[in-house]
Amino acid sequence: MAQPKKFNAMTQQALDLLKESRHGLSMPEMREALAATAESQEHFNRRVRDIRKRFALEKFYDQDRGWVYKVGAEKVGAAADLGQVSEKLRAAVIHRAHGRCEMCGRTIRDDGVKLQADHRIPTSWGGVSTLENLWAICEACNRGKRNHFASFEEDDMRSVLEFKNVHERLAQFMRLNLGRPVADYALEFVANLFDRQDDWQKRIRELRYSVIGLKIAVTKKRDGRATRSFYMLTNWKELPPEPTRVIRAYENRNRSRSKKAELPTSDAD
Ligand SMILES: [Zn+2]
């Protein structure tokens, strides 16, 4: 296996600084500490992207400092992962699917489809070759998925996948595709990246709440035995910091309001 390329001196220094900082660093803080203020922001962004290729990099919003970065573990698996799926893993994935395409529901027996083990999150977006990130899909679905995914920019995708908050992640992903329909499976990947969402469609509906204010159009299309949904964002508004908290507070307010309305008016005393 080839050794990963060495970082150049300043990128390495930025990485060391990130590792030493307990509360993470914002871009301006990093640039100041490195005396890299003369360097263009674009150039500096590239350094951070290089770090992100090999290390988990968490990003969160701080009211006073803006976007803050925290470095995590080195992506040993991802760096070594060239998208190769072993025969054993492939067999396990196909076996688990019980002869049915996990995307459109067509079967080997009834529809004569051929199943292929495919990465749910593409390796180019940082997906790895594990049982969890693989599924068995038919050739037609694989082709459709490939074409759809090819329309997303790799760098953009990687940056979107860094948002730890599910609402932020979904919103930023749709923002990159403003005015373009995005397939449900792509949004499902993005939603389920860090924690399994019991209802990722609801996360999308929540983005339409007046407190968030995104406009998302949904269209449906038949595809084999399944009906595919496509979501298209038609406006953009910056999300508030901690959007999930804002959404839950909004739901609670609505709930208590409707409960009050349900109270019997003839409650004596
Ligand atoms: Zn299929």
Side-chain angles (χ1 to χ4, degrees):
M1 187 80 36
Q3 277 295 105
K5 223 173 71 194
K6 253 200 148 106
F7 289 138
N8 70 26
M10 192 178 284
T11 308
Q12 184 61 48
Q13 278 175 33
L15 175 63
D16 293 341
L17 271 177
L18 279 165
K19 281 181 173 171
E20 284 161 19
S21 70
R22 278 184 54 204
H23 304 290
L25 289 168
S26 69
M27 281 277 189
E29 287 165 352
M30 251 186 279
R31 294 183 67 177
E32 199 182 320
L34 290 168
T37 39
E39 190 175 54
S40 77
Q41 184 65 45
E42 198 185 331
H43 197 137
F44 199 77
N45 289 347
R46 205 169 311 135
R47 295 188 190 282
V48 175
R49 274 209 300 277
D50 284 345
I51 292 175
R52 186 193 283 148
K53 281 180 187 154
R54 276 184 36 208
F55 290 84
L57 204 56
E58 190 186 327
K59 188 177 171 187
F60 61 91
Y61 192 82
D62 181 287
Q63 227 155 14
D64 302 319
R65 301 158 71 203
W67 288 107
V68 178
Y69 296 82
K70 261 180 109 165
V71 74
E74 186 165 8
K75 299 175 181 171
V76 179
D81 197 325
L82 301 169
Q84 302 284 358
V85 181
S86 72
E87 265 318 303
K88 200 176 146 194
L89 196 52
R90 188 184 309 276
V93 170
I94 303 288
H95 178 77
R96 188 182 57 186
H98 300 295
R100 180 182 295 272
C101 170
E102 293 182 81
M103 197 171 213
C104 71
R106 279 184 280 237
T107 66
I108 298 175
R109 210 188 56 191
D110 298 337
D111 307 290
V113 297
K114 266 193 196 154
L115 295 183
Q116 303 170 331
D118 171 68
H119 290 87
R120 285 174 175 272
I121 301 172
T123 47
S124 55
W125 297 3
V128 290
S129 302
T130 58
L131 200 52
E132 295 72 44
N133 192 42
L134 289 163
W135 62 346
I137 60 176
C138 72
E139 283 169 317
C141 282
N142 204 352
R143 218 174 307 121
K145 196 192 130 186
R146 256 172 227 287
N147 290 340
H148 189 55
F149 279 1
S151 64
F152 303 125
E153 292 289 331
E154 241 173 68
D155 256 8
D156 287 347
M157 275 318 296
R158 283 179 181 265
S159 69
V160 162
L161 300 186
E162 234 111 73
F163 287 96
K164 280 288 180 307
N165 178 277
V166 63
H167 289 107
E168 188 80 36
R169 201 162 59 242
L170 285 169
Q172 295 290 351
F173 180 42
M174 285 194 284
R175 181 191 188 183
L176 286 176
N177 299 284
L178 194 69
R180 278 202 306 167
V182 178
D184 46 9
Y185 52 84
L187 283 158
E188 191 179 359
F189 298 148
V190 170
N192 286 318
L193 201 65
F194 301 113
D195 42 351
R196 188 85 207 153
Q197 296 292 325
D198 48 348
D199 189 355
W200 66 267
Q201 287 102 332
K202 179 162 187 288
R203 300 293 92 78
I204 304 242
R205 288 199 298 277
E206 288 162 352
L207 290 173
R208 293 159 146 176
Y209 287 176
S210 58
V211 280
I212 303 294
L214 296 187
K215 293 195 167 65
I216 301 160
V218 189
T219 49
K220 290 190 189 294
K221 239 169 74 182
R222 286 288 302 165
D223 179 11
R225 290 171 198 275
T227 304
R228 262 296 65 92
S229 298
F230 289 83
Y231 296 78
M232 185 171 80
L233 183 70
T234 58
N235 70 336
W236 177 250
K237 279 174 83 173
E238 284 301 329
L239 264 59
E242 298 187 65
T244 304
R245 202 179 47 75
V246 171
I247 285 165
R248 297 294 161 252
Y250 171 80
E251 286 179 331
N252 286 337
R253 274 200 307 280
N254 275 359
R255 216 169 290 139
S256 61
R257 205 173 296 154
S258 61
K259 221 178 246 161
K260 240 177 240 164
E262 280 165 24
L263 278 180
T265 45
S266 58
D267 222 357
D269 302 305

